Amino acid sequence: MIPRIHKQGSSTRGLLNYLYGKGTREEHVDPHLVASFDPMAPDPGRDPSATEEDLQRLLDQPLHLLDEAQRPDQHVWHCSVRAAGTDRILSDEEWGDIARRIVAATGIDPGGVADAGCRWAAVRHADDHIHIIATLVREDGRRPDHHRSGQRAQAAARLIEADYDLHRVAPGDGTAAKRPTSAERHKAERQGRERTAREKLRETVRTASAGAASTDEFFDRLAADGLLIHKRIAPSGDLLGYKVALPDDRNKDDEPVFYAGSTLAPDLSLPRIRERWSLQAEAVSEGGPEPVQPVLPPVTHPAFARRRAAAAAWQGLLIIDHGDDGIAAAQISAAGEVLDALAKTSAAHTRTALRQAAFVFERASRSHLRAVRGHDHALRQAAHDLVHSGPALGRGEDGATTAMVIDMAVFLAIAAANWHAKRHHSQQAAAAQQAAEHLRTAYQAAVAYPIAALRQRGQQLTPRIRQGQAALLHQALPELAERIQAEPGWPALAATLADARQAGHDPAALLAGAARRRELGSADSISDVLVWRLRRSAHLPAAPETPQVTPDRDGRHTPAPAPTTPSAARAANYSSRRP
């Protein structure tokens, strides 16, 4: 159940006309009172002799206890309360009780003889929600104590959900981005947009900030994405803030509708965005509590960037598991930047799922535990590299390294979910878990071609080599060996072990080391996970050197030439220089 406190208004009659009207899309059916401060209040919806003006005069009567100059301009309090789509349909009596509990909790009408309340009414015009309207002057002429009424209403809603056996909403902590208003949603629907301007701008600004290293780069990215930008400049010439607008989102005067970064999300204000690179630069230049990060070679290819991102994701995962709260929070925030960068640069067949993963993970990137910036350098550098290396084509080494980094991102999202859950951050934990599911979908799309090619190579190994790989597996991972051999991906792992031996590595040591790095029980395919861990740690080409497998029109797989560009070869041989 979601209560929402709307912006205070100045016209009781105007809001009542809306509540008892047909709605902007003829959606108001049978509007009527379900509760009010006075059981005898007129109901224009059910009483033919009652009008909205009658109810307005009754609600606004306390205003006349004050001199006209003392009356508040914004005296109309408005709260909507909506049930979840999976909830049963509540009766008028139940909605009436809910309305009374909400006005009591928020201080609008606390109840009791000693505490005069405000006049209010609850109108129902749909099965799943009500609107509560109140006049912000009490019966004794004083103003009500409704400070933080939104949080108080949310707390009451959690109790109501339990009492009425309704869908339980995870409690919030005040760090979520502001939801679009009803007016913004209706405007988007009229214009045929899937999302509101606020949501579109938030995603665009978040993506533009991913891995950005300076103010100029951030604003250049915003401009390249087609946003209108208004910078707030101090008399001294210093940049204080910014606002952005979509070129085609305009108000009734045909002017662009600008949103300040801080109103899009708490961490998108200019000071919070600057904090990312200013503290990072300080930590790197001064050494900080950790050693200075090594200077890495410049990125020249998307696959190169993806290998580096996979290594950074692994490093971030370990820090989330074992670091202190502030440093772990920074890793989770920077992980969101990596997802944004992946979504921006990946091939079309993975882009939708990656965008969904980045969109929902945004909620997991903020909590009341303040991120200690500067120690998230590896992940932020990875996001920067992904953006600057350009879009991946989704085939050959590009596609294989995309699968590699998404596979690691799944574990990173799960680690973030577990970290939040241990600290009772319910909304953030749920968002990270949901992001992991979207990442699994993206992984399945990305992995189809490279894993199919590796499996084909594994199936072509001689019986003697296959037996040797099986024996090695039982020796290194005796508890998991039978499960791995039963998976469709086992031939791909056998081919990878053969590649590792041919490259001069000890396959048994690599396999044991890859298994020790982190638990494997949560993996959908243990063999797939081990393939990518081995190919990354042994610096093997992510895409097989044999002809790549592509589907025929009838769905069968046949070989096709694999790319052999110099940049792909350099990416295949790239060493991450990190554990």
Side-chain angles (χ1 to χ4, degrees):
M1 178 161 288
I2 302 295
R4 179 177 294 176
I5 309 298
H6 299 265
K7 185 178 179 180
Q8 291 176 200
S10 59
S11 174
T12 303
R13 178 69 179 278
L15 181 54
L16 287 173
N17 286 344
Y18 166 74
L19 296 180
Y20 279 97
K22 294 182 178 181
T24 57
R25 302 177 307 284
E26 304 287 329
E27 74 276 18
H28 295 180
V29 179
D30 187 26
H32 59 279
L33 283 183
V34 293
S36 73
F37 79 101
D38 180 1
M40 302 302 292
D43 182 3
R46 294 287 175 85
D47 183 355
S49 64
T51 66
E52 286 91 340
E53 185 178 3
D54 294 334
L55 184 54
Q56 175 255 317
R57 281 200 298 264
L58 181 66
L59 292 174
D60 283 351
Q61 211 166 51
L63 288 173
H64 300 287
L65 297 174
L66 304 174
D67 293 336
E68 190 168 348
Q70 296 178 318
R71 297 173 190 173
D73 292 333
Q74 306 293 316
H75 67 272
V76 181
W77 185 84
H78 177 203
C79 174
S80 59
V81 188
R82 185 177 298 272
T86 55
D87 286 337
R88 62 183 174 84
I89 296 177
L90 300 171
S91 67
D92 281 354
E93 290 72 21
E94 289 172 317
W95 274 120
D97 177 62
I98 290 169
R100 293 183 189 93
R101 293 175 68 168
I102 292 293
V103 295
T106 55
I108 295 299
D109 187 6
V113 178
D115 199 355
C118 298
R119 295 191 175 191
W120 60 273
V123 178
R124 179 181 188 179
H125 55 215
D127 286 340
D128 64 348
H129 70 280
I130 60 172
H131 292 262
I132 306 173
I133 179 175
T135 300
L136 290 175
V137 176
R138 305 192 322 177
E139 295 282 6
D140 57 8
R142 298 169 60 193
R143 299 297 300 276
D145 177 13
H146 65 105
H147 179 59
R148 302 174 73 88
S149 59
Q151 294 184 18
R152 292 154 70 176
Q154 292 290 345
R158 303 294 81 79
L159 299 176
I160 291 169
E161 290 161 358
D163 293 344
Y164 281 92
D165 193 24
L166 303 175
H167 170 74
R168 306 292 180 87
V169 175
D173 60 4
T175 62
K178 184 179 178 180
R179 295 188 183 93
T181 65
S182 297
E184 290 170 350
R185 292 197 305 273
H186 294 160
K187 183 178 181 180
E189 290 174 8
R190 290 195 307 271
Q191 296 175 343
R193 299 177 186 269
E194 292 184 2
R195 290 183 295 163
T196 64
R198 179 188 297 277
E199 292 169 314
K200 175 63 176 174
L201 287 168
R202 183 166 70 243
E203 181 184 30
T204 305
V205 173
R206 195 183 69 237
T207 304
S209 67
S214 67
T215 307
D216 289 342
E217 182 180 354
F218 171 59
F219 285 119
D220 286 346
R221 291 189 190 178
L222 291 179
D225 287 328
L227 298 192
L228 303 179
I229 307 168
H230 177 78
K231 299 177 183 178
R232 186 159 60 92
I233 309 294
S236 62
D238 294 334
L239 179 63
L240 300 178
Y242 73 98
K243 297 188 292 185
V244 289
L246 296 175
D248 55 352
D249 180 39
R250 296 180 174 268
N251 59 21
K252 58 183 178 60
D253 298 321
D254 198 35
E255 298 171 334
V257 180
F258 281 92
Y259 293 80
S262 59
T263 65
L264 296 175
D267 56 345
L268 293 182
S269 67
L270 186 61
R272 293 290 297 276
I273 291 175
R274 277 176 161 170
E275 184 180 79
R276 303 178 192 180
W277 55 72
S278 62
L279 291 183
Q280 173 176 305
E282 180 181 342
V284 172
S285 63
E286 297 181 3
E290 297 181 342
V292 176
Q293 298 288 340
V295 177
L296 299 176
V299 172
T300 58
H301 190 275
F304 201 86
R306 278 155 175 71
R307 280 181 170 270
R308 184 178 290 179
W314 169 247
Q315 185 183 50
L317 189 153
L318 293 178
I319 295 174
I320 292 170
D321 280 349
H322 305 295
D324 65 32
D325 282 352
I327 294 176
Q331 298 296 320
I332 293 172
S333 177
E337 296 188 51
V338 171
L339 294 183
D340 286 325
L342 273 175
K344 186 180 181 70
T345 60
S346 289
H349 66 294
T350 58
R351 193 175 302 140
T352 297
L354 287 172
R355 284 186 65 186
Q356 291 171 332
F359 182 79
V360 298
F361 192 84
E362 183 251 359
R363 182 66 190 95
S365 65
R366 289 188 305 273
S367 70
H368 279 305
L369 295 173
R370 188 67 178 268
V372 179
R373 295 291 183 180
H375 308 287
D376 52 355
H377 172 77
L379 282 170
R380 295 206 72 251
Q381 181 67 45
H384 181 272
D385 291 348
L386 288 167
V387 172
H388 283 269
S389 67
L393 300 177
R395 295 293 182 267
E397 188 75 4
D398 273 6
T401 52
T402 296
M404 180 186 290
V405 71
I406 295 175
D407 174 71
M408 189 59 71
V410 172
F411 285 95
L412 188 60
I414 292 172
N418 293 338
W419 186 85
H420 280 303
K422 289 177 182 178
R423 288 151 185 81
H424 308 290
H425 303 163
S426 302
Q427 290 186 350
Q428 290 90 336
Q433 196 64 50
Q434 188 179 359
E437 294 305 315
H438 289 303
L439 287 168
R440 286 190 174 100
T441 301
Y443 173 76
Q444 292 302 324
V447 81
Y449 291 99
I451 282 292
L454 284 169
R455 288 175 184 172
Q456 185 183 66
R457 287 187 56 213
Q459 290 162 353
Q460 293 171 349
L461 295 174
T462 65
R464 183 178 61 82
I465 293 178
R466 287 202 301 268
Q467 291 172 3
Q469 308 295 26
L472 187 152
L473 179 68
H474 281 269
Q475 174 190 344
L477 304 174
E479 296 179 356
L480 297 172
E482 290 188 6
R483 175 180 168 184
I484 291 172
Q485 282 187 274
E487 293 179 342
W490 159 239
L493 178 57
T496 296
L497 291 170
D499 289 344
R501 183 183 297 278
Q502 187 175 6
H505 297 283
D506 179 354
L510 282 175
L511 192 58
R516 284 196 305 268
R517 288 182 176 180
R518 188 175 172 82
E519 59 85 21
L520 293 166
S522 59
D524 293 333
S525 170
I526 296 177
S527 51
D528 278 15
V529 171
L530 291 175
V531 162
W532 300 125
R533 289 186 185 178
L534 290 176
R535 301 195 82 84
R536 182 175 62 81
S537 61
H539 315 306
L540 300 173
E545 295 177 358
T546 56
Q548 187 181 0
V549 175
T550 55
D552 288 334
R553 292 181 181 179
D554 62 1
R556 294 178 301 177
H557 290 85
T558 57
T564 58
T565 61
S567 56
R570 286 196 301 271
N573 294 321
Y574 168 62
S575 171
S576 66
R577 302 189 185 182
R578 295 194 180 110

